[in-house]
Every structure is written in structure tokens, then in C-alpha cells.
Amino acid sequence: MAKSKKTVSVMNEKSKSFLKEYLNTPSPVGFESGGQKVWLNYLKEYVDTTFTDAYGTAVGVINPDKNFKVVIEAHADEISWFVNYISAEGLIYLKRNGGVDHQIAPSQRVVIHGRKGPVKAVFGWPAIHTRSGSAESKDQQPKVENLFLDCGARTKKQVEDVGVHIGNAVTYADGFDEVSYGNYIGRAFDNRIGGFMIAEVARLLKENKKSLPYSLYIVNAVQEEIGLRGAEMIARRIKPDIAIITDVTHDSTTPMINKMIEGDCACGKGPALVYGPAVHNKLLAIIEKVAEKNKIPLQLRAVSRSTGTDTDSFAYANEGCPSALISIPLRYMHTTVEMLHKDDIENTIKLMYESVLALSPKTNLSYF
Ligand SMILES: [Zn+2]
């Protein structure tokens, strides 16, 4: 097999430092404004105008005055926890805020976003020695009901005195890092990598002095993790003619994942295009052609019923908006060590960029 030739890097030093800062800024579901500020601050020089909506979805617009509207979209929120109950001994019990994984919680470091600012805490877990005492404690598995945070306080009052109260959001402390062979790790690449990639599309359009025959909305929606809610709100407001969504998907090549169910998708082999009823076939065909023309490697996935991403919100908004989903493969989704490959980031940016350039108000998306 011929060795593929080395492609020119899309990301530069500035964009990489933005990626790190953005990834390391907590943006729990419902409290995304921290990350949104970082994102808007990077995006603003590449767009003509920006706005935000009532719940914090952030939008940059190129050519705001055109009638035809195209959206490229990602989601800004990250899964997290909510403080739910504080015991007399000063231990803090939680509720999920999105699909946060209880199995990975024991011994993680977290940040409680308290009234007086960030409070450090840990998920305590009984020692292996003390667990062996009885059959009952031996096989204890982490569950929402038995997981607790220890912030160092020993009474309920001490917890309250550091500014923690019921309803505070809690995020894991782990951030961006790199491992070998071009792989990045961190928490919440789902879906801050999407926000990063759509911002890079805007940067490339600006730097390459491209003019578009329509309005391009670069949308970073809130509250995806609890039911695609931010996208629902902003789709109704913008009323786009076309939407291209980007989110993460599972690399199915690591152990304990069934390819017969999950399909075959791997990090490093390019963005994945999705077939499913919410995905518009003619729009999808345009994107596939763009990939072929630009020699961008592709993987294919199928979904039954819904895509489970903001694509559904855009597709079924208003009177129906032709939508497509470009996914980037990710290992270990919803853990603190989500892993993805740099080449896929670059290729997904290129695919979105070239797709945006291929669209126009004259693009025929009629099925008949
Ligand atoms: Zn997710």
C-alpha cells in the first residue's frame, strides 16, 4: 500500500493554544458561559458579527445580510455533576448533569463550581483493604447513590462555608495532554473539539479571503448533553436553509466494543459521515463528493431513528432544514481521557471548509 503523502497542517500555534485553553475551561451543561467567552474571543476576528441567545448559545456570522443561511454547528456543554445532598459529616452527594459515567468516578479529582469560586474535591472510595471485610462491601460497584465528594470539610457547615451549595455544578479536573503518535487526550473533547473545528473553518475562510454567496452562521450550542436543547432553540431563531453539524463518534476498535452493533470506525482514519433519516441524502452526497475531490479519507456510519446529536434538532426544526452530520472518531467517550487523533481534526476541518465553499443558494437539494 502506498504511503499517503504528508498533508499541510491546518492548525497553527495560535489555534493549538486556543484549543488547550478552550478544552481546559469548564463548561458544564447549563453553565457554559465560561467556555463560550473563550470561544467567542477567538472567533470574533474571523466573523462580521456575533450574538448569544437567552440560554448562552453563541453564534458568529459571516455576511449577516444575505437571505440564504447556512449553519455549521457544534455543542459547547460538557457532562458534569450537580451537588444534590450534603451529609452531616461534610460529604457531598451528587446527581448527574448529562450522561456522566459513574464507573470512572472513584478517585477522580473534581472542581465544584461554588458561590465563592472553584472548590477542589475528590471522589473518595474505600480502600481495597477495608472492602474485603464483608461480602457486601467487597463487590461494591460505583453508583450515583454511593459516590460522594470529599472537599476536606468534616461538617455540613464547613462545606457551606467554602461556598458550596445544592445545585452547584461539578466537573472533573483533568485537562488537555498529548500522548504519542499524534494523539490528544482530555475531558470534553465531546464536543469542544467541534467548537474548535468550526472556529477554524471561520479562520480559514478569513485568512484565505474567501467570499460566500450566503450568510454563514458558526453556532456553538448549549445543552446538547441533556437532549439537544440549545440547538432546538437556536435553529428556530436562525431558521437556516442548510445545517452541517459536527460531533464526536465512537472509535469501535478498542476492547469490549461490538463492531456488529457499533459499526467499524477508528481514530486516524478520517471523519465519519452518517446515514440516517435526519440526514439529508442530497446534502450528504455533496459532502461525499467534496471529500473525494479533496482526497479527504472518510468513514461511514448508519444510525437507526435519530442521530442522537444536534443534527436532529436542526433537521426537524421549523419546516425541515436539510442537515448533515460530520463526526470525528473518539476513544473513551464521556471519560476524562477521551482520545482523538490530530489527523482527524485536520481532515474534519478541511471537509467542513470545502463543503461550505461548495454550497450556494442555488444548491439543489430537492428530492424530486
Ligand atoms: Zn456527549
Side-chain angles (χ1 to χ4, degrees):
M1 206 169 72
K3 229 176 145 191
S4 64
K5 68 172 190 281
K6 188 116 178 77
T7 49
V8 187
S9 184
V10 173
M11 282 186 276
N12 58 29
E13 276 314 305
K14 190 185 166 194
S15 51
K16 201 169 162 193
S17 82
F18 159 60
L19 173 61
K20 278 187 215 173
E21 187 195 359
Y22 182 44
L23 202 79
N24 290 342
T25 306
S27 297
V29 190
F31 307 86
E32 298 91 344
S33 57
Q36 295 289 59
K37 282 178 194 158
V38 173
W39 185 79
L40 278 171
N41 190 43
Y42 179 79
L43 183 74
K44 65 176 193 256
E45 65 178 284
Y46 309 121
V47 295
D48 297 313
T49 181
T50 63
F51 66 91
T52 55
D53 79 358
Y55 278 84
T57 289
V59 184
V61 194
I62 295 171
N63 292 338
D65 301 325
K66 306 276 186 194
N67 284 326
F68 197 81
K69 299 172 185 173
V70 175
V71 159
I72 53 173
E73 196 258 14
H75 74 83
D77 53 314
E78 71 172 287
I79 49 162
S80 50
W81 300 89
F82 267 130
V83 173
N84 183 46
Y85 167 70
I86 303 165
S87 76
E89 295 77 28
L91 297 175
I92 300 161
Y93 290 79
L94 305 166
K95 243 181 201 170
R96 284 185 229 271
N97 187 17
V100 69
D101 190 348
H102 53 277
Q103 283 201 2
I104 63 142
S107 94
Q108 293 274 0
R109 295 166 195 226
V110 302
V111 176
I112 306 169
H113 303 278
R115 203 194 297 280
K116 297 176 184 170
V119 175
K120 290 179 188 174
V122 296
F123 273 101
W125 194 247
I128 186 168
H129 321 73
T130 61
R131 289 207 310 271
S132 57
S134 71
E136 186 209 342
S137 58
K138 198 174 178 175
D139 293 324
Q140 243 351 318
Q141 296 297 319
K143 297 183 280 246
V144 174
E145 341 38 306
N146 66 12
L147 285 167
F148 60 88
L149 295 181
D150 185 338
C151 71
R154 295 295 168 256
T155 64
K156 186 178 180 190
K157 183 167 183 307
Q158 283 185 343
V159 173
E160 288 165 350
D161 286 349
V162 294
V164 172
H165 63 81
I166 308 303
N168 284 151
V170 178
T171 48
Y172 291 117
D174 291 34
F176 178 89
D177 212 341
E178 291 179 56
V179 292
S180 299
Y181 304 108
N183 291 288
Y184 294 166
I185 54 167
R187 69 164 213 282
F189 270 119
D190 172 12
N191 182 229
R192 286 211 271 273
I193 197 59
F196 171 75
M197 295 189 298
I198 57 174
E200 288 295 89
V201 171
R203 178 177 67 81
L204 292 176
L205 290 169
K206 180 86 173 187
E207 287 178 357
N208 297 335
K209 299 188 172 57
K210 297 291 182 186
S211 71
L212 297 170
Y214 56 81
S215 300
L216 180 67
Y217 289 72
I218 298 109
V219 176
N220 210 358
V222 297
Q223 302 197 21
E224 187 270 354
E225 296 287 1
I226 48 98
L228 326 176
R229 296 308 203 176
E232 199 177 304
M233 293 184 259
I234 203 70
R236 285 188 196 133
R237 175 156 168 185
I238 297 172
K239 298 187 173 59
D241 297 285
I242 291 175
I244 299 175
I245 280 70
T246 186
D247 206 336
V248 293
T249 190
H250 303 289
D251 176 324
S252 60
T253 62
T254 55
M256 296 179 278
I257 299 174
N258 186 345
K259 283 186 193 170
M260 265 79 88
I261 293 166
E262 299 295 335
D264 194 358
C265 185
C267 288
K269 291 192 172 172
L273 292 182
V274 180
Y275 279 79
V279 173
H280 195 280
N281 298 316
K282 292 196 98 175
L283 180 59
L284 183 59
I286 292 169
I287 298 169
E288 283 197 81
K289 204 174 279 175
V290 164
E292 197 184 329
K293 197 176 145 207
N294 292 281
K295 298 187 172 59
I296 299 167
L298 277 186
Q299 308 185 75
L300 296 179
R301 297 168 54 224
V303 294
S304 50
R305 295 185 70 93
S306 65
T307 69
T309 70
D310 282 344
T311 315
D312 306 333
S313 286
F314 275 91
Y316 303 132
N318 308 306
E319 284 110 59
C321 167
S323 301
L325 172 60
I326 302 177
S327 306
I328 180 167
L330 179 89
R331 290 182 166 199
Y332 323 123
M333 197 185 294
H334 286 200
T335 74
T336 56
V337 291
E338 293 183 340
M339 183 184 292
L340 43 68
H341 199 279
K342 189 173 161 287
D343 290 352
D344 293 334
I345 303 174
E346 304 249 333
N347 280 321
T348 308
I349 294 167
K350 276 187 212 162
L351 183 57
M352 294 192 101
Y353 172 78
E354 297 293 346
S355 297
V356 160
L357 289 174
L359 296 173
S360 94
K362 294 194 184 89
T363 302
N364 179 10
L365 295 176
S366 171
Y367 276 161
F368 303 99

